[in-house]
Amino acid sequence: MSVTFADIQAAAERIRGHVDRTPTRYSRKLSELTGAEVWLKFENLHYTSSFKERGACNRLSQMTADERKRGVVAASAGNHASALAYHGSRLGIPVTIVMPEGTPFVKIEKTERYGGKVVIHGLDFTEATNHAKALQAEHDYIFVSAFDDEGIVTGQGTCGLEFLEDAPELDALIIPIGGGGLIAGSAIAAKALKPDIRIFGVEAAMYPSFTARRAGQPPKCGGQTIAEGIAIKAVGEIPFALGDPLIEDVMVVDEPDFEQAVAFYATIEKTVVEGAGAGGLAALLRYPERFRGMKVGLVVCGGNIDPRILAVVLNRELVREHRLVTFRIIGDDRPGMMAGMTAVIGRRGGNIIDIHHNRLALDVPVKGAEYDIQVETRDDEHAQQIARALEEKGYVLKRD
């Protein structure tokens, strides 16, 4: 197997005019927050909101007339699916996509809207892939892997090519790893343009397949991650062989890291990013000392997040920052209790969001009640001021 810089340059010409050249921008706010000089490559701004368009367009454009007539089949959690469906429709190639159960509806709907036929099968990506290969044998389709394909890897490498052309001063790239196509292709391109650039990968703690492969251990993968786009149980053979010699280290990050990064992109950069797409920032926030003072490029590789999940993430971040606090108060169940509590909170500038009045809590006297009052506050200190004010008025706060 071989993917060269010349192959990636040819792919860049092949997809020119069919795939957007996404912007590269310096983030002053994220730089101040992390201590690194942070540059962002906004791959979430593609037409299908993911870098996957690069590989899909390149691979489909290289198919023969006979292969195009037979059509393609693939397994995907969503972004590869959307990209194949969109460019397949554009090129007149029938596309069938097998998606695992639990795939976000936004990704299913997009794939169908772009002209792809969606088949839901399997509990995870592995089972979906096995079913896609069964359909390949049954219908004589061309199977197009989301990552384990030289044409896909070559197309994804155009992301690294553009990044280094637009920000040649970068010291390092941090790129999320699922199957490995993006990091492998981008590393080849980046190293060709700047041999001393450092390449770092990011994996979800629930799916550390590249890390396990490097250690010569079987991967221990499973669970529901917000980074479903990189929830791959086995990194691709081709991407691993190409990328492993070029990647300095792979950082494993946890769910709260991904959540915080998604929230920061929304609140700081004013851009919508899915869990996997926020992986680079998640790693930078988790390990800031490793990159302090360096010029770091983050590939914001996708923006297809379920709106409901995004809303939950943003609210959970408010809880972490103590800007959304629930005060649990144990008190008598008598007229005027609720009015007294809310008056204290209001005088201290708290904005009451919700109140739950529980008379059936068994650790409360039968003539008492448990009051959960959810309050919007400015910060942790403001929340503490409200708590002290309630206690000074004689209310008993139940603390975890």
Side-chain angles (χ1 to χ4, degrees), residues 16 45 50 56 75 126 293 347 349:
R16 189 184 305 277
L45 298 182
S50 164
T126 301
R347 282 196 296 269

Side-chain angles (χ1 to χ4, degrees), residues 204-216:
M206 292 183 184
Y207 291 85
S209 58
F210 198 104
T211 301
R213 178 77 177 269
R214 271 193 158 179

Side-chain angles (χ1 to χ4, degrees), residues 25-280:
R25 295 174 186 158
Y26 169 68
S27 174
R28 189 170 70 181
K29 291 181 179 179
L30 291 180
S31 298
E32 292 170 352
L33 179 67
T34 63
E37 186 176 310
V38 180
W39 290 78
L40 304 174
K41 176 73 167 161
F42 288 93
E43 292 292 282
N44 60 326
L45 298 182
H46 282 291
Y47 182 71
T48 64
S49 304
S50 164
F51 77 95
K52 291 286 189 177
E53 280 196 39
R54 298 176 180 278
C57 181
N58 183 61
R59 179 67 177 84
L60 293 176
S61 296
Q62 292 177 295
M63 290 175 61
T64 66
D66 176 66
E67 289 174 331
R68 294 186 182 203
K69 184 178 179 180
R70 288 157 59 189
V72 303
V73 66
S76 172
N79 289 334
H80 180 58
S82 296
L84 279 179
Y86 171 61
H87 287 286
S89 293
R90 187 178 61 79
L91 294 169
I93 302 172
V95 173
T96 300
I97 303 295
V98 182
M99 292 183 166
E101 298 171 18
T103 297
F105 177 75
V106 64
K107 296 185 177 183
I108 297 172
E109 186 273 333
K110 268 193 171 184
T111 302
E112 293 178 330
R113 176 156 44 89
Y114 295 145
K117 175 185 176 182
V118 175
V119 177
I120 305 297
H121 186 95
L123 297 177
D124 56 24
F125 181 78
T126 301
E127 292 185 8
T129 298
N130 291 337
H131 188 65
K133 289 184 176 179
L135 292 176
Q136 174 196 15
E138 180 181 352
H139 299 285
D140 197 31
Y141 293 141
I142 303 297
F143 180 78
V144 179
S145 170
F147 46 81
D148 213 7
D149 181 294
E150 290 185 22
I152 293 292
V153 173
T154 303
Q156 316 305 26
T158 61
C159 175
L161 173 65
E162 290 179 14
F163 212 160
L164 266 291
E165 286 178 345
D166 293 344
E169 67 275 25
L170 289 177
D171 299 315
L173 291 179
I174 306 178
I175 303 174
I177 299 178
L182 176 62
I183 195 169
S186 293
I188 291 168
K191 286 284 189 180
L193 291 170
K194 188 173 185 180
D196 62 344
I197 194 168
R198 302 167 69 184
I199 309 295
F200 296 88
V202 185
E203 289 188 301
M206 292 183 184
Y207 291 85
S209 58
F210 198 104
T211 301
R213 178 77 177 269
R214 271 193 158 179
Q217 301 171 352
K220 296 179 181 179
C221 300
Q224 292 294 318
T225 173
I226 189 177
E228 73 277 345
I230 56 173
I232 307 298
K233 290 185 176 180
V235 65
E237 295 291 335
I238 293 172
F240 185 82
L242 295 170
D244 185 49
L246 306 177
I247 299 169
E248 180 173 328
D249 192 17
V250 177
M251 296 166 287
V252 176
V253 298
D254 294 313
E255 292 303 294
D257 303 313
F258 285 108
E259 289 183 33
Q260 186 179 48
V262 168
F264 280 9
Y265 272 125
T267 58
I268 295 175
E269 288 299 321
K270 313 305 180 187
T271 190
V272 174
V273 180
E274 64 188 86

